[in-house]
C-alpha cells in the first residue's frame, strides 16, 4: 500500500498481522508488541522484516528492550483525538534514542501530520479513503514553531534571532 | 383528555452561518420552523435525518426533535427548542427581543 | 505589552491560512464535520444554538486600543454589532459566519490577535490578575511568565490531543488571588523562599464543572527557570494517564484525585528529573527579551494622591464619589490608579459591549492612559493607568457611554454565562436572572450597604458562570422541561478559596430573585457590621439560617431536599 515516508509517497510492503492470524512465511510484517514478545525467536528467525505495533495505551518503555532489533515501531491512533501516541513517539526519540522508523497508523489524518512529525514520526499510513497527495501539503503549512520537540529540541529563540525592542 | 401523539421535526444548523434550519416538505432546509415538515412516523423522520446527514456542506449535525400538534399549533416542547426557533430572549447589540414567556 | 516579532506574526498568519484551507475542505466535503470539528475548536469556533460562536484570545487579558478597535470593526462588519468579554479574559462573538472566518482571522492577525487554542482539548488561554503590572501587592508582573507559557503551549505538538481542555493561570500576589488560580488545571503561584529567591508553587487539579475541586499543591518550590520543564512534566503525565473513556472524568483534576497528590507528584517529578536540565530550561536573556515588552510606561512623576482620592470620595458629586470608592484601585506609581469599568449595564447582558462603546473605550484608554486596557475574569474591563487627577473627567466620559456603574464587587457586579439563550450545552437561561437582579437591586446605596458580594450564575453544570465559587451561586437546571434554579452559598474564588454548598431544592424562575431578597435580609440581620461580609457570615453561622429564611423552618418529617444532578 502507499504510505508517506520522509515527506514522500512510497510503496510499502509491510503487512499488519492481527493477533489471532497466521504470520506469512515471507514478507515484511507488523505485529502487536505482545505477540512480538511471545513469538520473538520465531519472528527473528523468519525471512522478512518485522515491526511492532503499540496500542495507544502502551507506553514507550514497554518496547524499549526491543528497539535494537525491530524494523519499525508503529503507534496506533484509534481515534485522532487520542493523543497518547505523540508522547510515545517523543519518548522513543528523546528518551531512548531510537533512530529507526516510527510509523503512525489508524485514524491518521492530514491535519495531524505535522504534529506527528515534530514528535518523531517519520512514516504515516493515512486513513483509508483520504487524499494522500493533498496530505503532503500539511508538512509545509508552518515555517516555524515556538517550542522544541523531537525534530529539533531547541525552542525558537535558540534557532532564530528574535527581535528585541 | 388524552395527550396528543408525539411527532418529529428534523432540525440542524446551516453550515455556512450556523443558523437554525428545519427540514421541509420540499426536502430542503428553511430558517423558519413554520416551514418544517412534521413527521408522524419516527422512521420517516429518521430517513429524512439521514438524508440531511449526507448534505454536510449545507447543514451540520441534524437531529430529530420531538413536537406535538394541538389545536392546530405546533408545540416545540422544550425551552431549548423554543429559544432555538425564536432567537435569544435577551437584548444583544442594538436588538431588543419581543417580551413574553418562552 | 508584548509585540510580535516576525516569527510571532508568521505563526498567526500561517495558522489563518491553514484554517482557511480547512474551511474550504469542509465546504467541498473533503473532510467531514466529525474531522473538521476538532480543527475548528482549536481555532476557537463553536457551534451554538443559533449560530457559530468565535472565541478570540486575549492573552492574559491585555489589549491595546488598536486591538479593541479591530474587535469593534469585526463586531460591526461580521457580527451583530457587539462582543462579549468572558470569564477567562477572552472576547466572544455570537454570530460569525463560517465563510467569513478566513477574513476575520486576517483582520485579527493584522493586529497581532488570533483565536488559537481557545477551545479544544489543548492548553487554553493563560490568564492572570487584571491589575498585573500595576498592582502594588505583586512580587512582579505575571504577564511575561504568561507569555512564556503561551509560546511554549501554542501548537505544542505533543499536547494537541489531550484527554480534555487545559487551563493555566498565573498569580504573583502573595496571600491574595485575583485570578482564581486555585481553580485551574494548573495554577502557578510565585513565591519567595526563605533565602529570598523567587520560584513557583505549582498547584494542579483545580476546576469547577460537574466535580469541582480546589487545586492541590504539587510543586512546592520550582525555581523560576525550571517552570516550563515542570509544566511539560505535568502535561506529559496527564497526556499519558488522563482518562479517555469518559468525557466527564477526563480532566486532570480527576487524575490527581484518583492517584492522590503524593503519587501524582511522584510521577511528575520522576519525569521532571529527566528533562529539567534540558532545552526547556528558561534562558534569562530570552525571558528579558519578553519582559522588556512589559516594562512600565513613562509614568509622570506625581505626588502621592491619597488625599486627593479621599477628597473625591467625600466630595459633592455623589456619583463620582461612589465610583471612586468602589471602582478605583491602588497603583504602584504615585498619583495613578487602576479603574475597573464594569460591563454590568442595566438591561444589557453582563460582559456585553457594543461596537460603538468599544471604539469610544479605545479612545478613552489612549486619553486616560497609555493605550492599554485589561479584561477581567468577571466580565469587566480595566483602565490600568489613570491619573487620579483625571478621575472626574474619566467618570464624565464613562457616564456618557453608560459605563460608569459604581458597583465593582457589589451584588450587581455579577457574572453570568451565556446560558440557554445562546449555549448548546445549557439547561436553563442565566442572563434573564442576571438582568432581573441588576434591575431589582439597582440602588447603589443599598448595594454599598450589602457590602462585598460576588454573585455568579451558570446555566448548566459545566459552570462557565463559576457558580461554585460565588459567595452566592445560582445554577440553572432543567426540571421536567421547565427552567429551575439552585442557590448555593459560601463559595470564594480568592486566596481563601472555597466551594459553595447548595441551599435547598431548586426554585422556578419567578421565585429566584425573591429568594435572593430573603437571603440578603437574613444576612443583614446576622452580620456585625458592613465589613462582616456575606461570605464571612456564611462561614461563621453555616447555611441553616439562610435555608430557613428562603424555605421556611424545617418540619420534623421533611428534610431539605438537595440538588439532584
Amino acid at each position: 500500500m502507499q504510505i508517506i515516508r520522509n515527506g514522500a509517497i512510497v510503496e510499502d510492503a509491510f503487512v499488519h498481522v492481527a493477533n489471532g492470524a497466521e504470520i506469512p512465511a515471507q514478507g515484511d510484517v507488523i505485529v502487536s508488541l505482545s505477540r512480538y514478545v511471545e513469538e520473538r525467536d520465531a519472528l527473528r528467525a523468519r525471512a522478512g522484516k518485522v515491526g511492532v505495533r503499540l496500542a495507544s495505551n502502551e507506553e514507550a518503555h514497554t518496547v524499549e528492550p526491543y528497539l535494537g532489533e525491530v524494523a519499525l515501531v508503529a503507534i496506533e491512533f484509534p481515534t485522532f483525538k487520542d493523543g497518547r501516541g505523540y508522547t510515545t513517539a517523543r519518548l522513543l526519540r528523546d528518551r531512548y534514542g531510537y533512530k529507526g522508523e516510527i510509523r503512525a497508523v489508524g485514524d491518521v489524518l492530514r491535519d495531524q501530520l505535522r504534529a506527528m512529525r515534530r514528535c518523531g514520526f517519520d512514516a504515516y499510513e493515512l486513513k483509508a479513503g483520504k487524499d494522500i497527495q493533498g496530505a503532503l501539503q500539511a508538512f509545509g503549512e508552518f515555517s516555524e514553531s515556538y517550542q522544541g520537540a523531537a525534530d529539533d529540541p531547541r525552542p525558537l529563540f535558540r534557532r532564530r534571532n528574535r527581535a528585541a525592542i | 383528555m388524552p395527550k396528543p401523539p408525539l411527532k418529529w421535526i428534523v432540525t440542524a444548523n446551516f453550515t455556512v452561518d450556523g443558523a437554525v434550519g428545519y427540514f421541509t416538505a420540499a426536502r430542503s432546509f428553511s430558517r423558519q420552523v413554520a416551514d418544517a415538515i412534521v413527521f408522524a412516523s419516527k422512521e420517516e423522520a429518521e430517513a429524512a435525518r439521514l438524508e440531511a446527514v449526507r448534505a454536510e456542506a449545507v447543514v451540520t449535525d441534524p437531529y430529530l426533535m420531538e413536537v406535538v400538534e394541538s389545536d392546530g399549533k405546533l408545540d416545540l416542547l422544550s425551552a431549548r427548542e423554543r429559544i432555538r426557533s425564536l432567537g435569544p430572549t435577551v437584548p444583544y447589540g442594538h436588538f431588543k427581543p419581543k417580551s413574553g414567556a418562552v | 505589552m508584548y509585540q510580535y516579532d516576525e516569527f510571532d506574526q508568521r505563526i498567526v498568519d500561517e495558522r489563518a491560512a491553514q484554517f482557511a484551507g480547512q474551511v474550504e475542505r469542509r465546504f467541498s466535503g473533503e473532510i467531514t464535520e466529525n474531522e473538521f470539528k476538532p480543527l475548528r475548536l482549536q481555532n476557537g469556533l463553536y457551534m451554538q444554538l443559533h449560530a457559530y460562536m468565535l472565541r478570540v484570545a486575549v492573552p492574559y487579558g491585555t489589549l491595546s486600543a488598536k486591538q479593541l478597535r479591530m474587535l469593534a470593526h469585526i463586531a460591526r462588519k461580521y457580527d451583530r454589532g457587539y462582543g462579549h468579554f468572558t470569564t477567562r479574559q477572552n472576547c466572544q462573538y455570537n454570530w460569525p459566519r463560517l465563510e467569513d472566518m478566513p477574513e476575520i482571522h486576517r483582520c485579527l492577525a493584522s493586529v497581532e490577535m488570533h483565536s488559537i487554542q481557545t477551545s479544544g482539548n489543548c492548553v487554553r488561554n493563560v490568564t492572570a490578575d487584571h491589575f498585573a503590572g500595576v498592582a502594588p501587592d505583586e512580587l512582579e508582573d505575571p504577564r511575561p511568565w504568561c507569555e512564556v507559557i503561551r509560546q511554549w503551549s501554542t501548537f505544542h505538538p505533543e499536547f494537541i490531543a489531550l484527554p480534555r481542555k487545559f487551563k493555566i493561570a498565573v498569580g504573583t500576589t502573595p496571600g491574595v488571588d485575583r485570578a482564581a488560580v486555585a481553580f485551574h488545571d494548573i495554577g502557578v503561584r510565585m513565591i519567595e523562599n526563605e533565602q529570598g529567591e523567587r520560584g513557583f508553587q505549582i498547584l494542579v487539579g483545580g476546576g469547577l464543572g460537574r466535580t469541582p475541586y480546589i487545586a492541590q499543591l504539587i510543586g512546592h518550590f520550582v525555581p523560576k527557570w525550571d517552570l516550563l520543564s515542570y509544566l511539560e512534566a505535568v502535561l506529559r503525565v496527564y497526556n499519558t494517564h488522563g482518562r479517555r473513556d469518559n468525557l466527564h472524568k477526563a480532566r486532570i483534576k480527576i487524575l490527581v484525585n484518583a492517584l492522590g497528590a503524593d503519587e501524582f507528584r511522584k510521577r511528575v517529578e520522576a519525569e521532571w528529573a529527566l528533562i529539567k536540565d534540558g532545552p526547556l530550561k528558561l534562558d534569562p536573556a530570552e525571558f528579558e527579551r519578553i519582559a522588556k515588552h512589559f516594562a512600565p510606561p513613562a509614568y509622570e512623576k506625581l505626588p502621592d494622591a491619597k488625599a486627593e482620592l479621599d477628597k473625591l470620595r467625600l466630595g459633592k458629586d455623589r456619583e463620582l464619589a461612589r465610583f471612586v470608592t468602589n471602582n478605583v484601585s491602588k497603583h504602584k506609581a504615585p498619583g495613578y490608579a487602576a479603574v475597573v469599568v464594569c460591563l454590568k449595564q442595566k438591561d444589557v447582558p453582563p460582559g456585553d459591549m457594543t461596537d460603538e462603546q468599544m471604539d469610544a473605550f479605545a479612545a478613552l484608554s489612549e486619553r486616560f492612559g497609555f493605550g492599554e486596557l485589561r479584561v477581567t475574569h468577571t466580565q469587566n474591563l480595566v483602565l490600568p493607568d489613570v491619573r487620579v487627577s483625571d478621575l472626574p473627567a474619566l467618570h464624565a466620559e464613562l457616564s456618557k457611554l453608560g459605563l460608569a456603574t459604581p458597583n465593582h464587587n457589589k451584588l450587581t457586579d455579577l457574572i453570568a454565562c451565556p446560558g440557554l439563550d445562546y449555549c448548546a450545552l445549557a439547561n436553563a437561561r442565566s442572563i434573564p436572572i442576571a438582568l432581573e437582579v441588576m434591575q431589582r437591586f439597582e440602588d447603589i446605596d443599598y448595594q454599598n450597604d450589602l457590602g462585598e458580594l460576588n454573585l455568579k450564575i451558570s446555566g448548566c453544570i459545566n459552570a462557565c458562570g463559576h457558580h461554585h465559587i460565588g459567595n452566592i451561586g445560582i445554577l440553572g437546571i432543567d426540571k421536567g422541561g421547565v427552567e429551575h434554579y439552585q442557590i448555593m452559598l459560601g463559595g470564594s474564588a480568592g486566596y481563601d478559596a472555597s466551594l459553595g454548598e447548595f441551599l435547598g431544592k431548586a426554585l422556578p424562575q419567578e421565585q429566584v430573585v425573591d429568594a435572593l431578597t430573603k437571603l440578603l435580609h437574613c444576612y443583614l440581620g446576622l452580620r456585625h457590621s458592613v465589613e462582616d461580609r456575606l461570605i464571612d457570615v456564611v462561614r461563621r453561622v453555616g447555611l441553616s439560617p439562610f435555608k430557613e429564611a428562603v424555605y421556611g423552618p424545617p418540619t420534623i418529617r421533611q428534610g431539605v431536599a438537595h440538588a439532584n444532578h
Side-chain angles (χ1 to χ4, degrees), chain B residues 13-20 56-57 60-61 79-80 83-84 87-94 102, chain C residues 26-27 32-33 47-52 80 82 95 97-99 347 349 356 420-422 424 429 431:
Chain B
N13 292 77
F14 282 98
T15 301
V16 68
D17 62 358
V20 179
E56 266 201 346
T60 297
D61 289 338
R80 183 201 160 95
I83 293 171
R84 276 184 87 241
T89 67
V90 292
Y92 62 82
H94 308 287
V102 160
Chain C
R26 169 71 179 89
F27 277 123
T32 67
E33 173 63 18
M47 178 72 87
Q48 295 287 63
L49 284 188
H50 315 288
Y52 289 100
R80 296 194 184 180
Y82 73 108
W95 309 93
R97 301 162 60 90
L98 182 61
E99 56 180 9
D347 301 327
E356 289 138 351
L420 191 56
D421 281 301
Y422 286 101
R429 283 171 296 164
I431 297 174

Side-chain angles (χ1 to χ4, degrees), chain B residues 17-66:
Chain B
D17 62 358
V20 179
Y22 300 97
F23 191 76
T24 69
R27 312 207 88 72
S28 62
F29 272 81
S30 162
R31 287 155 192 252
Q32 311 305 324
V33 70
D35 298 335
I37 176 174
V38 180
F39 292 99
S41 144
K42 193 169 186 191
E43 288 70 34
E44 274 180 47
E46 177 58 22
R49 189 191 74 83
L50 289 173
E51 211 178 299
V53 167
R54 286 189 291 274
E56 266 201 346
V58 179
V59 288
T60 297
D61 289 338
Y63 63 94
L64 298 185
M65 57 184 265
E66 291 174 345

Side-chain angles (χ1 to χ4, degrees), chain C residues 255-318:
Chain C
L255 180 65
V256 172
N257 283 279
L259 293 176
D262 289 338
E263 173 60 25
F264 183 80
R265 178 186 307 109
K266 215 165 110 207
R267 293 192 192 191
V268 167
E269 299 197 346
E271 176 62 30
W272 184 48
L274 299 171
I275 61 176
K276 71 189 268 284
D277 294 314
L280 282 165
K281 190 86 134 182
L282 276 165
D283 173 51
E286 166 67 3
F287 182 80
E288 257 321 294
R289 181 190 74 84
I290 291 173
K292 273 211 180 78
H293 290 275
F294 299 94
Y299 293 119
E300 288 173 51
K301 264 200 152 47
L302 299 175
D304 181 82
K306 184 177 179 305
E308 207 175 331
L309 284 165
D310 288 339
K311 212 164 125 211
L312 289 170
R313 285 190 196 108
L314 301 168
K316 277 210 298 247
D317 184 343
R318 295 312 301 151

Side-chain angles (χ1 to χ4, degrees), chain A residues 2-55:
Chain A
Q2 282 194 329
I3 68 166
I4 296 173
R5 184 188 286 123
N6 291 326
I9 298 170
V10 297
E11 275 305 322
D12 175 71
F14 276 93
V15 161
H16 287 275
V17 183
N19 274 341
E22 199 184 308
I23 297 177
Q26 286 166 329
D28 303 330
V29 296
I30 301 174
V31 299
S32 70
L33 175 64
S34 50
R35 188 162 193 186
Y36 183 83
V37 173
E38 234 181 84
E39 303 175 28
R40 186 170 168 221
D41 293 336
L43 286 164
R44 295 181 78 186
R46 77 185 262 291
K49 298 187 239 181
V50 60
V52 288
R53 185 175 60 242
L54 296 178

Side-chain angles (χ1 to χ4, degrees), chain C residues 361-375:
Chain C
F361 199 78
L364 289 183
S365 77
E366 287 166 327
R367 182 173 155 200
F368 297 103
F370 299 93
E372 187 180 299
L373 58 130
R374 311 293 178 79
V375 184

Side-chain angles (χ1 to χ4, degrees), chain A residues 71-146:
Chain A
L72 60 83
V73 178
I75 298 174
E76 264 173 29
F77 287 85
T79 141
F80 61 83
K81 296 179 191 174
D82 185 336
R84 287 176 284 189
Y86 298 103
T87 291
T88 308
R90 183 122 192 244
L91 292 176
L92 286 176
R93 294 292 187 216
D94 289 355
R95 187 86 17 108
Y96 304 117
Y98 176 62
K99 302 263 190 292
E101 175 176 315
I102 303 181
R103 180 186 293 207
V105 307
D107 199 17
V108 178
L109 305 171
R110 166 186 171 156
D111 295 292
Q112 284 79 40
L113 294 183
R114 184 174 180 263
M116 287 176 175
R117 186 183 66 182
R118 295 198 60 222
C119 286
F121 288 92
D122 51 359
Y124 317 84
E125 286 181 22
L126 213 62
K127 181 178 179 177
K130 292 301 175 181
D131 170 20
I132 196 168
Q133 284 288 355
L136 278 182
Q137 293 172 50
F139 293 111
E141 275 170 348
F142 288 90
S143 54
E144 267 308 344
S145 315
Y146 277 125

